[in-house]
Amino acid sequence: MTLQLAHTRPISTQRLLLGCGVVAGPFYVTVALAQALTREGFDLTRHPWSFLANGELGWIQTVNFVVTALATIAAAAGLRRALTPGRGARWASALVGAFGAGMIGAAVFPADPAMGFPAGTPEGPGVVTLSGTLHMAVGGVGFLCMAAACYVIASRQARQGHGGWALYSRVTGTLFLGSFVGIASGAGAAWTNLMFVAGIVAVWTWLSLVSLSLSRDVA
């Protein structure tokens, strides 16, 4: 993919910011998955990764949210610098930045303990608090913005003749949006939780690949 680039910005700064977009997803997924596989009582088929911010070791996931959010916001700035002006250029970076901001909100307002996690928590949906409600609200806005960013980038890619990349971006956006709708429905089925994990991994992979492609074009 060779998206047209703006040549009025310092190349070193562009590559640094886009590099944040390359590493943000792998960092988040690695840290979250390591916790998911080692934290007592955590079940990938039942518990969203947001639950990891609860309990004695919850600070690890909170830091994961914040570090990844800052890298994502930096990537958004990189997209703004790298993409040429035109329809969608500002929207793409703004939407990705909003996703990063949503992650900071998710760190500030942790999800409510529920469904037996962290260890010692009663089974069932648990008590809904203001923090848990705000977590869902800011997270939901961020997810919707990131899905929209996929479609905005896809539109630009299609206009530039990169049909394969455009299809990939649309599929990623659709998968991410569908996975969020599934988990937000509160169905609690294992497949909805696993689909949500797949959607998260897919959208982070997409951001890494788009950022890497643009970084190479700048180079």
Side-chain angles (χ1 to χ4, degrees):
M1 174 183 66
T2 306
L3 293 176
Q4 286 182 298
L5 302 175
H7 298 289
T8 58
R9 302 288 186 177
I11 288 179
S12 58
T13 301
Q14 288 183 27
R15 294 189 68 189
L16 177 62
L17 293 172
L18 290 169
C20 290
V22 174
V23 303
F27 177 84
Y28 177 78
V29 171
T30 299
V31 174
L33 191 57
Q35 296 177 83
L37 296 176
T38 57
R39 292 277 302 272
E40 180 186 356
F42 191 88
D43 186 345
L44 278 168
T45 66
R46 300 180 63 226
H47 304 133
W49 286 356
S50 292
F51 281 20
L52 291 167
N54 291 305
E56 236 179 78
L57 298 176
W59 64 270
I60 299 175
Q61 183 65 358
T62 299
V63 171
N64 190 23
F65 276 135
V66 173
V67 172
T68 306
L70 294 176
T72 303
I73 292 171
L79 290 173
R80 182 68 187 92
R81 289 168 177 257
L83 296 174
T84 55
R87 190 177 70 178
R90 291 183 180 179
W91 274 110
S93 60
L95 290 166
V96 172
F99 178 58
M103 292 191 72
I104 292 179
V108 173
F109 306 110
D112 293 322
M115 295 185 289
F117 187 84
T121 301
E123 289 293 335
V127 178
V128 178
T129 68
L130 178 61
S131 175
T133 301
L134 291 175
H135 179 89
M136 284 295 297
V138 297
V141 171
F143 291 148
L144 292 175
C145 286
M146 193 58 167
C150 292
Y151 295 125
V152 171
I153 291 290
S155 178
R156 291 178 62 90
Q157 291 166 333
R159 291 198 307 274
Q160 293 169 6
H162 307 300
W165 273 96
L167 177 61
Y168 170 56
S169 294
R170 291 190 182 102
V171 169
T172 300
T174 302
L175 173 61
F176 188 55
L177 181 60
S179 68
F180 170 66
V181 171
I183 200 74
S185 69
W191 72 267
T192 60
N193 208 56
L194 292 176
M195 183 179 175
F196 189 52
V197 171
I200 290 173
V201 172
V203 83
W204 282 124
T205 302
W206 173 83
L207 180 62
S208 291
L209 293 177
V210 169
S211 299
L212 180 61
S213 176
L214 289 171
S215 180
R216 286 175 173 173
D217 289 344
V218 169

